[in-house]
């Protein structure tokens, strides 16, 4: 008679294994034929090699959908890259008896030099925004990659400009390298749910290597056919580019980020403030509305972590600023002429303080975008100060400095009354509030209402 001794699983979604004790006292695995064991072993080997350990519990829910589309786009990109490589090798002189090794070397050095310079400049210019807008920059990287491949294919039609074309293509690919690598790291951080970033990243690399290997084999078949066929080359390029862009768009739009950036905070806070009975939108619905091609157009531009000089010019203005912001660990100033809201951040400001400052800015934008008679349907209708706020903002760019500070004062009072519930609803809806990706600059300041003794403070 068999007695069940143990039941084990490998992860939460694997078939259980039962171990039974037979009459002879030995313990055996029960219930599976040798064929099913082989099939299970092959499947288990595939999971171990190409999926993070503990999948699917160790990754985000959007992991598999994203990886499927990412695999498709990588295959299409590799095929297009094979076509462009042939064009570049031909342009540099491979197969041309009149070409010299020195000329080819100079061309390649100029190309590599342009790429290195482009990497440095692009990382300096856009490095801080790659974390906060990872999905948009991920798509940007792939669009630039297709543009670089297009330029390389065109190089054969303009041999006299080959060096210039090679340098421009290399410049585009340098931006692809920076934006693609940085956003891949941000997405890996989002997908890793067990502090397993290294494992997720390594398995992503294994998947990409397998796809590139399949594309390489396909390229061995395609290259001889497309080498002398102009129409076939461009048809393949257009098909692969269309598939590449579509797969990338589907990949980034299926990602559900739970951290707040300025775009996601703007979408959810405007919906929250505009409704008569505020209900906090969850990460999934907000991510679906987040634009990934163009930046979201907002009534005012928000700069968080601005230098103190952008907010205060005189001691009298400093006193007005302190009164309007009422002892917050940030100083907010509205500049209607430039269409900006500058926020100075205190050294001791927390993540909640940053979110509160942005929420106050969103209240101002809500009042600015809604006509005076339209506020009755808003959650803010319960606050009598909202009518005064909208009345001032209707003056537009002719608002005086005193009007701007009145807007800050009124919006802060409304914010103080509504923010505790807003923050609570954020957490209940599944948003991460312990940290955010709101694009905060590094300027920090320390101030008091009576001034500072700098020798003691710093």
């Amino acid at each position: 008679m068999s007695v069940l001794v143990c039941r084990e699983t490998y992860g939460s979604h694997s078939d259980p294994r039962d171990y039974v004790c037979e009459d002879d006292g030995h313990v055996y695995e029960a219930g599976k034929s040798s064929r099913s064991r082989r099939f299970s072993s092959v499947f288990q080997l595939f999971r171990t090699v190409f999926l993070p350990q503990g999948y699917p519990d160790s990754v985000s829910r959007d992991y598999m959908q994203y990886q499927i589309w990412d695999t498709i786009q990588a295959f299409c990109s590799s095929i297009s890259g094979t076509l462009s490589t042939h064009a570049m090798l031909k342009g540099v002189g491979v197969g041309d008896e009149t070409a010299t090794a020195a000329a080819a070397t100079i061309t390649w050095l100029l190309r590599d030099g342009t790429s290195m310079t482009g990497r440095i400049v692009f990382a300096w210019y856009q490095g801080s925004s790659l974390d906060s807008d990872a999905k948009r920059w991920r798509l940007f990287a792939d669009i630039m990659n297709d543009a670089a491949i297009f330029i390389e294919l065109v190089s054969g039609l303009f041999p006299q400009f080959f060096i210039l074309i090679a340098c421009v293509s290399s410049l585009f690919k340098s931006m692809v390298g920076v934006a693609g690598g940085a956003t891949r790291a941000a997405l890996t951080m989002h997908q890793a749910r067990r502090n397993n970033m290294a494992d997720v990243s390594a398995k992503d690399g294994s998947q990409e290597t397998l796809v590139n290997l399949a594309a390489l084999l396909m390229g061995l078949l395609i290259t001889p056919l497309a080498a002398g066929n102009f129409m076939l080359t461009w048809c393949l390029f257009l098909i692969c580019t269309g598939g590449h862009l579509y797969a990338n768009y589907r990949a980034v739009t299926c990602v559900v980020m739970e951290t707040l950036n300025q775009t996601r905070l703007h979408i959810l806070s405007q919906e929250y403030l505009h409704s008569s009975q505020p209900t906090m939108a969850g990460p999934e619905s907000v991510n679906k509305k987040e634009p990934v091609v163009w930046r979201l157009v907002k009534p005012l531009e928000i700069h968080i972590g601005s230098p103190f000089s952008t907010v205060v010019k005189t001691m009298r203005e400093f006193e007005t600023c302190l009164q309007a912001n009422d002892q917050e660990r940030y100083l907010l100033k509205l500049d209607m002429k430039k269409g900006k809201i500058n926020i100075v951040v205190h050294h001791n400001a927390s993540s909640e303080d940053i979110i509160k400052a942005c929420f106050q800015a969103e209240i101002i934008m809500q009042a600015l975008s809604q006509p005076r008679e339209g506020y009755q349907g808003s959650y803010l209708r319960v606050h009598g100060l909202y009518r005064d706020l909208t009345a001032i903002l209707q003056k537009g760019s002719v608002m005086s400095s005193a009007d701007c500070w009145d807007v800050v004062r009124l919006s802060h009072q409304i914010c103080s009354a509504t923010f505790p519930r807003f923050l609570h609803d954020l957490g209940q809806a599944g948003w991460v509030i312990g940290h955010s990706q709101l694009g905060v600059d590094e300027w920090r300041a320390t101030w008091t209402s009576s001034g500072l003794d700098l020798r003691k403070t710093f």
Side-chain angles (χ1 to χ4, degrees):
M1 179 178 179
S2 300
V3 178
L4 180 64
V5 175
C6 175
R7 173 171 290 174
E8 70 175 359
T9 59
Y10 188 84
S12 61
H13 286 67
S14 66
D15 293 331
R17 289 183 177 180
D18 290 341
Y19 293 90
V20 296
C21 179
E22 301 292 350
D23 294 336
D24 58 3
H26 288 85
V27 176
Y28 301 94
E29 182 184 353
K32 284 194 174 183
S33 64
S34 60
R35 183 177 179 181
S36 64
R37 285 195 187 95
R38 286 195 298 269
F39 178 80
S40 177
S41 299
V42 172
F43 179 72
Q44 193 63 49
L45 177 64
F46 180 86
R47 287 186 58 174
T48 304
V49 173
F50 294 105
L51 295 175
Q53 185 176 5
Y55 171 85
D57 300 319
S58 61
V59 293
S60 59
R61 289 185 298 174
D62 53 27
Y63 176 83
M64 182 53 69
Q65 187 178 1
Y66 174 82
Q67 293 302 127
I68 290 173
W69 288 112
D70 189 52
T71 298
I72 295 172
Q73 70 85 18
F75 182 82
C76 293
S77 179
S78 295
I79 297 298
S80 298
T82 300
L83 299 174
S84 67
T85 299
H86 174 267
M88 291 298 290
L89 290 175
K90 187 176 180 180
V92 84
V94 175
D96 186 357
E97 295 180 355
T98 63
T100 64
T105 302
I106 291 173
T107 301
W108 227 251
L109 289 175
L110 290 173
R111 181 175 178 270
D112 289 346
T114 304
S115 175
M116 295 174 188
T117 305
R119 281 176 175 270
I120 294 171
V121 174
F122 184 74
W124 161 74
Y125 187 65
Q126 291 291 351
S128 60
S129 65
L130 297 176
D131 281 311
S132 56
D133 278 331
K135 293 193 285 185
R136 187 166 63 87
W137 283 112
R138 175 68 179 174
L139 188 60
F140 167 84
D142 291 298
I143 292 173
M144 294 300 291
N145 182 67
D146 289 333
I149 293 174
F150 172 78
I151 291 173
E152 290 176 351
L153 286 174
V154 170
S155 64
L157 303 177
F158 306 96
Q160 65 274 27
F161 300 114
F162 178 76
I163 294 179
L164 177 61
I165 291 174
C167 290
V168 172
S169 170
S170 183
L171 179 64
F172 283 11
K173 286 189 174 181
S174 70
M175 291 188 281
V176 173
V178 174
T183 54
R184 183 181 294 274
L187 292 173
T188 300
M189 183 182 299
H190 157 71
Q191 292 172 339
R193 296 303 166 98
R194 289 184 179 175
N195 294 320
N196 56 339
M197 276 190 62
D199 185 29
V200 173
S201 179
K203 297 304 170 57
D204 183 66
S206 297
Q207 295 167 24
E208 186 171 350
T209 302
L210 180 64
V211 172
N212 289 336
L213 181 61
L216 185 148
L217 297 175
M218 183 66 70
L220 291 175
L221 300 175
I222 290 175
T223 302
L225 299 174
N229 193 322
F230 179 84
M231 289 298 297
L232 179 59
T233 297
W234 282 97
C235 285
L236 288 172
F237 169 73
L238 292 175
I239 292 172
C240 290
T241 300
H244 180 242
L245 292 177
Y246 177 74
N248 269 294
Y249 178 79
R250 291 296 302 270
V252 296
T253 52
C254 77
V255 174
V256 180
M257 307 284 278
E258 296 92 357
T259 52
L260 293 169
N261 63 6
Q262 287 202 28
T263 301
R264 291 190 283 272
L265 180 59
H266 179 76
I267 293 171
L268 70 88
S269 61
Q270 292 302 307
E271 290 183 358
Y272 186 87
L273 293 170
H274 186 67
S275 59
S276 57
Q277 294 295 328
T279 302
M280 182 63 66
E284 188 169 349
S285 71
V286 172
N287 275 264
K288 287 181 180 179
K289 298 174 184 177
E290 181 183 9
V292 295
V293 179
W294 310 109
R295 294 184 64 180
L296 184 70
V297 178
K298 297 186 290 186
L300 297 170
E301 189 176 354
I302 304 175
H303 290 271
I304 315 169
S306 299
F308 186 74
S309 59
T310 60
V311 173
V312 173
K313 301 296 183 183
T314 65
M315 194 62 195
R316 182 175 181 180
E317 187 175 29
F318 181 43
E319 294 172 354
T320 304
C321 178
L322 289 174
Q323 292 173 0
N325 288 281
D326 192 23
Q327 305 301 318
E328 292 289 352
R329 282 181 284 195
Y330 62 84
L331 299 176
L332 185 148
K333 180 182 181 181
L334 171 65
D335 188 340
M336 282 297 294
K337 293 182 179 179
K338 295 183 179 179
K340 294 181 180 180
I341 294 178
N342 291 306
I343 301 173
V344 176
V345 180
H346 196 278
H347 276 102
N348 297 328
S350 63
S351 176
E352 292 184 5
D353 294 318
I354 303 297
I355 296 174
K356 183 175 183 179
C358 290
F359 184 61
Q360 182 178 342
E362 293 295 339
I363 291 175
I364 296 174
M365 283 191 277
Q366 170 73 15
L368 181 64
S369 61
Q370 297 297 319
R372 290 180 61 182
E373 63 275 9
Y375 79 96
Q376 286 88 349
S378 168
Y379 165 53
L380 296 177
R381 76 190 191 283
V382 299
H383 300 282
L385 298 173
Y386 189 67
R387 181 187 293 273
D388 299 331
L389 180 62
T390 55
I392 298 173
L393 287 169
Q394 291 306 306
K395 297 180 182 180
S397 58
V398 299
M399 288 171 54
S400 65
S401 177
D403 289 332
C404 290
W405 285 120
D406 283 340
V407 167
V408 174
R409 176 178 55 81
L410 292 170
S411 63
H412 177 264
Q413 293 176 10
I414 297 172
C415 178
S416 296
T418 57
F419 182 71
R421 178 178 176 180
F422 176 79
L423 188 65
H424 173 267
D425 291 347
L426 272 179
Q428 292 295 109
W431 291 99
V432 176
I433 57 180
H435 65 275
S436 59
Q437 298 289 352
L438 293 169
V440 184
D441 207 346
E442 291 303 309
W443 291 104
R444 296 294 184 273
T446 302
W447 62 84
T448 66
S449 58
S450 58
L452 293 172
D453 185 345
L454 298 182
R455 293 171 299 178
K456 296 180 180 179
T457 306
F458 301 99

